[in-house]
Amino acid sequence: MSAGPAIEAVDLVKKFDDNVAVDGVSFVVPQGTVLGLLGPNGAGKTTTTRMLTTLSVPTSGTGRVAGHDILTEPDAVRRSMGLTGQVATVDELLTARENLRLIGHLYGLPKDYIASSTDELLERFSLTEAADRIAKKYSGGMRRRLDLAVSLIAAPPVLFLDEPTTGLDPRSRTELWEVLRGLVSEGTTLLLTTQYLEEADHLADDIIVIDKGKVIAAGTPTQLKDQAGAASVVVTVTHAADLARAEELVRACSPEVHVDATARRLTAQASGLGDMSRIGTLFEDSGIEVDDLGLKRPSLDDVFLHLTGHKAEDETDEIDEMEEALS
């Protein structure tokens, strides 16, 4: 792999008749990092991934994966990457071991390497006990883990994950996150497309937000959250009768205070931990009983709403479905 970025998108455009699915998308992913490609269904995330993985030819623009151009060196690109799509693509009539060996043979890998790598991947993805059961009998989480293991059989330096946890229960999703963190710690570069804001927050070093085919924001999760507004100190008092006096205390530190009488909660704009500490000290000296006091920063959900005017799940799959129909 070259010394440059692991992935580059350069003014990528994809049109389907009069519909523009991707409109001039550019970004760079350094080696050994995770880029979260964030956006609603139909934003152009999958279309962008398909172009970078040579499954779809750009209308204009280009990209590079591991230093190889997607237009002029597609074979080299495919040798340098792994891909896990939205739906597990393993052969359900084969066992996990047979799936891994099959893909290894298709890559033309040495038999000894395939055997040792298969055992290693089965262990890493907690599939050893089920290695000789057909995949059709696996749970959804197990199939996703096997799908990811198959994509790693050739040890690619770059891995594209297109909404890899779609349809998984929370426990399976968390388990897969742990596996992905392990891969990155070993030097693998990940491009992760997701509409799960929590997923991007947990995994991504940097985030690109796409809406209607265009990049509308880029930065670290913290930088994007800062764009959505200031942090807040949230205080929940034990007794509703103390709300009025509690509001006076909070207003001494912040002029902007929202009171939710039903929840016995006060929310005040704050600049950070210093304001929370000052408000905490005031309450400690006041004798007012408090159930909870903490600092709340904007979430990525707040970021998306701030940037687009709608939540990430409010869109449809229209553009991505169009690509699947035409590809």
Side-chain angles (χ1 to χ4, degrees):
M1 186 164 167
S2 67
I7 306 170
E8 297 175 83
V10 184
D11 291 326
L12 285 174
V13 174
K14 185 67 176 182
K15 297 180 181 179
F16 298 100
D17 297 327
D18 295 331
N19 295 290
V20 182
V22 175
D23 192 1
V25 167
S26 297
F27 55 78
V28 173
V29 188
Q31 294 183 31
T33 65
V34 182
L35 176 71
L37 204 56
L38 183 64
N41 288 333
K45 306 186 303 296
T46 294
T47 308
T48 299
T49 300
R50 288 175 63 85
M51 287 188 283
L52 288 171
T53 56
T54 74
L55 294 176
S56 181
V57 179
T59 303
S60 63
T62 190
R64 283 177 286 274
V65 176
H68 303 294
D69 191 280
I70 61 174
L71 296 179
T72 61
E73 304 172 274
D75 290 340
V77 168
R78 288 190 283 271
R79 286 194 298 268
S80 302
M81 49 145 273
L83 171 64
T84 298
Q86 295 180 23
V87 179
T89 55
V90 298
D91 189 327
E92 294 191 341
L93 298 180
L94 298 180
T95 67
R97 193 183 307 277
E98 289 168 340
N99 267 285
L100 287 162
R101 287 178 174 174
L102 172 64
I103 299 303
H105 287 304
L106 290 176
Y107 269 110
L109 302 173
K111 289 183 178 180
D112 289 346
Y113 173 85
I114 293 172
S116 61
S117 184
T118 293
D119 290 340
E120 178 186 335
L121 288 167
L122 289 170
E123 179 67 26
R124 165 179 274 184
F125 289 92
S126 303
L127 293 169
T128 301
E129 292 185 5
D132 297 309
R133 285 165 39 199
I134 62 171
K136 186 176 182 179
K137 296 182 179 180
Y138 283 8
S139 67
M142 292 172 69
R143 281 196 295 271
R144 295 303 287 167
R145 292 203 303 275
L146 176 56
D147 197 34
L148 186 55
V150 166
S151 71
L152 293 171
I153 189 69
V158 179
L159 189 59
F160 290 86
L161 305 173
D162 189 15
E163 303 199 17
T165 60
T166 295
L168 295 188
D169 60 79
R171 179 179 176 180
S172 297
R173 183 175 296 143
T174 301
E175 289 175 349
L176 190 54
W177 289 352
E178 289 301 318
V179 171
L180 296 178
R181 290 191 189 98
L183 290 174
V184 176
S185 70
E186 296 169 3
T188 303
T189 302
L190 303 185
L191 187 149
L192 170 75
T193 74
T194 183
Q195 58 179 312
Y196 294 123
L197 302 166
E198 182 186 13
E199 186 159 87
D201 206 2
H202 272 78
L203 295 175
D205 297 298
D206 293 287
I207 291 174
I208 300 290
V209 183
I210 294 182
D211 194 34
K212 297 175 181 168
K214 292 179 178 289
V215 174
I216 60 172
T220 67
T222 299
Q223 289 170 339
L224 293 179
K225 290 175 187 178
D226 287 344
Q227 293 182 29
S232 301
V233 173
V234 181
V235 183
T236 303
V237 299
T238 305
H239 305 293
D242 291 328
L243 268 176
R245 193 156 62 98
E247 183 179 356
E248 291 179 6
L249 290 177
V250 175
R251 286 193 184 280
C253 293
S254 174
E256 295 186 29
V257 181
H258 173 73
V259 179
D260 184 341
T262 302
R264 307 187 312 281
R265 185 183 301 124
L266 302 97
T267 303
Q269 185 173 329
S271 57
L273 292 173
D275 284 340
M276 186 182 76
S277 178
R278 283 189 288 274
I279 291 174
T281 300
L282 288 175
F283 273 92
E284 187 175 344
D285 296 339
S286 71
I288 296 175
E289 292 185 48
V290 172
D291 285 345
D292 190 33
L293 187 151
L295 186 69
K296 179 181 181 296
R297 295 189 182 277
S299 66
L300 286 181
D301 206 1
D302 298 324
V303 170
F304 205 86
L305 186 62
H306 170 74
L307 291 170
T308 68
H310 58 78
K311 293 184 178 180
E313 66 269 19
D314 288 346
E315 294 289 321
T316 67
D317 292 326
E318 181 178 353
I319 294 295
D320 288 339
E321 288 175 351
M322 184 182 304
E323 162 138 335
E324 290 182 8
L326 295 177
S327 62

